[in-house]
């Protein structure tokens, strides 16, 4: 770093100028292996970050904050690990780690990480962005130059650090955000179901009338879906918490201490509370992104689960006159700019769109996973962005469903009873006594005459009214059996 970029003993982090604008403080010159580069005078980054800012202008936005957070945790743990292994002076290691912690505590810190998603496929630019920013801040703390490559990046490569940051970020989001959100939704369904046990509705297959079901059974099915999603995600947690760190350039661990990876994982666990572990072999975690592809696949399955629940809610809420009108979702906002009084199922619609985005993200991650060429996958930033966005969307969707749809919807009992009383499929309960063909004849007659099935069955069989009332009781039919 230049003398100008490392001057001052202050530890504050000045706000970074927006990329592409003329900085208020003018420019300074920074140098890397390719020569000199003009960098905004107030920026904490150096030459390699600036080259990336100028080279990558695809409009994809910067790397996710969760990825940057994970990268900073790794850099702090790496500095401390190298200190413990006798490879960095204690004061230098502390300055780097303290600088990382200061950035993590500063809500403005994303401004210092301007490199966008569509960059070099290894994420080298983002890794160097972190190295340069931390070198600048550590130098200010120490009052002497700190090298982004030789000190902050000691024992590391972008090729093992970026895959590790993807795993750390994904593990943190799973633990802190997505799994709690899904558990919240499962609990909301569990709590709501018993309050609706008395409500029996027409079941539907192929969107056509079928045998009756209770509302608590419907919600129980949704809850089982959510729990299955939780179980699938939990099963992947150990793999997500396994890191490529220590593989350095190609997986062999050149230029790093043999105990570096294990020491770093122990320190990461202390920082985050998650049990990270070094990979037994790093080649697969660097040359491929199979764990990310698997996690994305489970996120897609979770999205499908939430879309199913959202669509069921939309259908049951349809109407209020020409639809099913079985439930009424909370009225959250006007539904039309031209039709007064119209209210739409906005939360289920938003959840369905979020789920569609997750499915799209999974398609991109699948393609990115195929870009493992020999010892390195070269679509790592895209994997990071899509994986973390999917988790964020699903966490928000699950909580919105729980709090703004499931918790507040009410049941239209009158509509349920009207539909059930005229449901010809109830005749299925008579199959064991009158046979399938006779039951079908009764059902067709009831439908054609637009009459309750019990009245038609009384005329077309020798069963008593009392026996038919028992056999055709919708609530009894939800219990199964003969």
């Amino acid at each position: 770093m230049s003398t100008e970029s490392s001057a001052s003993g202050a530890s504050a982090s000045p706000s970074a100028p927006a990329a592409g604008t003329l900085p208020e403080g003018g420019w300074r010159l920074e140098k890397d292996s390719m020569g000199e580069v003009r960098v905004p005078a107030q920026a904490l980054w150096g030459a390699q970050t600036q080259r990336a800012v100028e080279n990558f202008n695809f409009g994809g936005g910067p790397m996710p904050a969760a990825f940057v957070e994970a990268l900073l945790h790794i850099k702090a743990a790496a500095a401390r690990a190298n200190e413990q292994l006798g490879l960095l002076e204690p004061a230098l290691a502390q300055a780097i780690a303290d600088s990382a912690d200061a950035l993590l505590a500063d809500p403005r810190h994303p401004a210092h990480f301007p490199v966008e998603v569509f960059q070099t496929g290894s994420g080298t630019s983002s890794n160097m962005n972190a190295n340069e920013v931390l070198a600048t801040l550590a130098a200010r703390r120490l009052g002497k130059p700190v090298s982004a490559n030789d000190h902050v990046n000691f024992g590391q490569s972008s090729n093992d650090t970026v895959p590790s940051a993807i795993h750390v970020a994904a593990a943190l989001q799973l633990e802190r955000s997505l799994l709690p959100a899904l558990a919240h939704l499962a609990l909301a369904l569990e709590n709501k179901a018993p309050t609706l046990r008395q409500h029996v509705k027409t079941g539907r297959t192929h969107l056509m009338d079928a045998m009756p079901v209770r509302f608590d059974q419907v919600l129980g099915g949704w809850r089982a879906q959510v729990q299955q999603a939780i179980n699938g995600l939990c099963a992947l947690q150990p793999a997500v918490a396994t890191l490529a760190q220590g593989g350095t350039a190609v997986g062999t661990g050149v230029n790093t201490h043999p105990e570096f990876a294990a020491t770093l994982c122990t320190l990461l666990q202390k920082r985050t509370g998650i049990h990270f572990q070094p990979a037994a072999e790093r080649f697969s975690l660097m040359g491929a992104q199979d764990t990310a592809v698997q996690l994305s696949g489970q996120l897609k399955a979770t999205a499908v689960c939430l879309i199913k629940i959202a669509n069921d809610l939309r259908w049951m809420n349809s109407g209020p006159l020409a639809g099913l009108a079985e439930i009424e979702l909370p009225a959250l906002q006007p539904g039309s700019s031209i039709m007064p009084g119209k209210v739409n199922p906005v939360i289920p619609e938003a959840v369905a769109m979020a789920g569609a985005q997750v499915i799209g993200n999974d398609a991109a991650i699948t393609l990115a996973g195929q870009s493992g060429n020999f010892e390195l996958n070269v679509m790592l930033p895209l994997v990071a962005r899509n994986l973390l966005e999917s988790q964020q969307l699903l966490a928000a969707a699950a909580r919105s469903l729980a709090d703004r749809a499931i918790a507040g919807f009410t049941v239209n009992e009158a509509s349920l009873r009207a539909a059930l009383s005229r449901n010809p499929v109830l005749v299925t309960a008579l199959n064991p006594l009158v046979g399938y063909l006779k039951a079908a004849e009764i059902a067709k007659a009831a439908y054609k005459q637009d009459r309750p099935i019990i009245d038609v069955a009384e005329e077309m069989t020798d069963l008593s009214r009392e026996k038919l009332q028992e056999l055709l009781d919708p609530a009894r039919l939800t219990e199964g059996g003969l």
Side-chain angles (χ1 to χ4, degrees):
M1 309 296 286
S2 72
T3 303
E4 185 174 357
S5 68
S6 300
S8 169
S11 60
S13 303
S15 297
T21 64
L22 180 65
E24 293 183 3
W27 302 91
R28 71 178 192 269
L29 287 179
E30 290 280 356
K31 182 182 291 186
D32 62 10
S33 61
M34 295 182 67
E36 291 186 337
V37 181
R38 286 200 319 165
V39 177
Q42 298 303 311
L44 298 182
W45 62 78
Q48 291 199 45
T49 303
Q50 187 63 29
R51 291 187 192 278
V53 168
E54 295 170 3
N55 286 334
F56 307 121
N57 295 291
F58 291 79
M63 293 295 289
F67 174 84
V68 173
E69 177 189 350
L71 198 51
L72 291 173
H73 279 303
I74 288 173
K75 294 299 177 182
R80 291 298 192 186
N82 283 321
E83 176 193 2
Q84 289 186 20
L85 296 170
L87 301 173
L88 277 184
E89 296 177 3
L92 178 56
Q94 181 172 341
I96 295 170
D98 288 350
S99 296
D101 289 335
L103 285 169
L104 290 169
D106 184 354
R108 301 169 300 168
H109 83 262
H112 305 303
F113 298 89
V115 179
E116 76 163 67
V117 169
F118 302 111
Q119 55 169 289
T120 177
S122 62
T124 297
S125 296
S126 286
N127 184 44
M128 284 308 303
N129 187 177
N131 291 335
E132 290 177 343
V133 169
L134 289 172
T136 298
L137 293 176
R140 292 179 179 181
R141 290 175 180 273
L142 288 176
K144 63 181 182 180
V146 173
S147 171
N149 292 92
D150 297 333
H151 298 142
V152 182
N153 199 58
F154 189 90
Q156 305 150 66
S157 165
S158 301
N159 298 349
D160 63 346
T161 298
V162 173
S164 295
I166 293 173
H167 278 219
V168 171
L172 288 172
Q173 273 201 339
L174 276 174
E175 184 75 20
R176 296 174 178 175
S177 180
L178 181 53
L179 288 173
L182 291 172
H184 180 70
L185 175 57
L187 182 61
L189 291 166
E190 183 179 346
N191 290 339
K192 182 85 170 182
T195 70
L196 304 179
R197 181 179 172 83
Q198 73 275 22
H199 298 295
V200 180
K201 67 185 292 290
T202 300
R204 291 180 182 83
T205 58
H206 305 273
L207 292 181
M208 304 299 288
D209 297 344
M211 293 298 287
V213 293
R214 296 194 313 271
F215 255 99
D216 66 312
Q217 292 172 324
V218 172
L219 268 67
W222 294 346
R223 184 190 179 282
Q225 281 187 271
V226 175
Q227 188 59 55
Q228 183 175 353
I230 292 172
N231 294 345
L233 292 168
C234 288
L236 287 171
Q237 281 184 296
V240 175
T242 301
L243 306 185
Q245 204 74 55
T248 65
V250 293
T252 60
V254 64
N255 286 359
T256 197
H257 194 286
E259 297 177 17
F260 172 76
T263 306
L264 180 142
C265 285
T266 298
L267 292 166
L268 272 180
Q269 180 175 351
K270 292 179 179 178
R271 294 180 64 85
T272 64
I274 294 177
H275 177 65
F276 291 104
Q277 58 188 357
E281 62 80 33
R282 282 84 58 134
F283 298 101
S284 64
L285 296 187
M286 294 169 61
Q289 279 294 295
D290 293 350
T291 298
V293 172
Q294 289 176 323
L295 177 57
S296 181
Q298 186 57 53
L299 295 175
K300 178 179 69 174
T302 303
V304 169
C305 160
L306 298 188
I307 292 172
K308 198 277 183 186
I309 296 172
N311 282 334
D312 283 356
L313 288 168
R314 290 174 61 235
W315 275 104
M316 291 191 294
N317 182 75
S318 62
L321 298 180
L324 299 181
E326 293 178 341
I327 67 170
E328 184 175 343
L329 288 166
L332 299 177
Q333 62 188 67
S336 174
S337 61
I338 191 172
M339 293 175 281
K342 191 171 186 292
V343 178
N344 296 330
V346 294
I347 295 301
E349 288 175 352
V351 167
M353 285 191 287
Q357 183 62 60
V358 170
I359 293 170
N361 286 349
D362 176 68
I365 290 173
T366 301
L367 290 173
Q370 297 175 13
S371 295
N373 306 133
F374 299 107
E375 279 66 60
L376 184 67
N377 182 284
V378 289
M379 287 196 183
L380 296 177
L382 177 64
V383 171
R385 195 279 295 272
N386 284 17
L387 198 64
L388 298 174
E389 180 184 68
S390 290
Q391 290 197 64
Q392 179 182 351
L393 286 171
L394 291 174
R399 289 194 179 275
S400 291
L401 265 185
D403 298 338
R404 304 183 71 79
I406 299 296
F409 81 76
T410 56
V411 174
N412 185 346
E413 179 63 29
S415 179
L416 297 184
R417 288 179 179 175
L420 277 172
S421 68
R422 310 186 82 81
N423 182 4
V425 181
L426 291 177
V427 78
T428 303
L430 304 184
N431 284 359
L433 297 178
V434 303
Y436 180 91
L437 292 179
K438 184 65 175 180
E441 183 182 350
I442 296 169
K444 291 177 182 179
Y447 181 76
K448 184 176 181 180
Q449 298 169 24
D450 192 23
R451 296 171 60 199
I453 194 75
I454 190 171
D455 294 343
V456 178
E458 187 177 13
E459 294 175 359
M460 297 180 65
T461 70
D462 57 2
L463 296 171
S464 68
R465 183 86 178 182
E466 292 74 21
K467 184 63 174 177
L468 287 169
Q469 287 175 333
E470 176 189 346
L471 293 172
L472 298 175
D473 176 21
R476 188 190 73 84
L477 292 175
T478 65
E479 300 294 341
L482 293 172

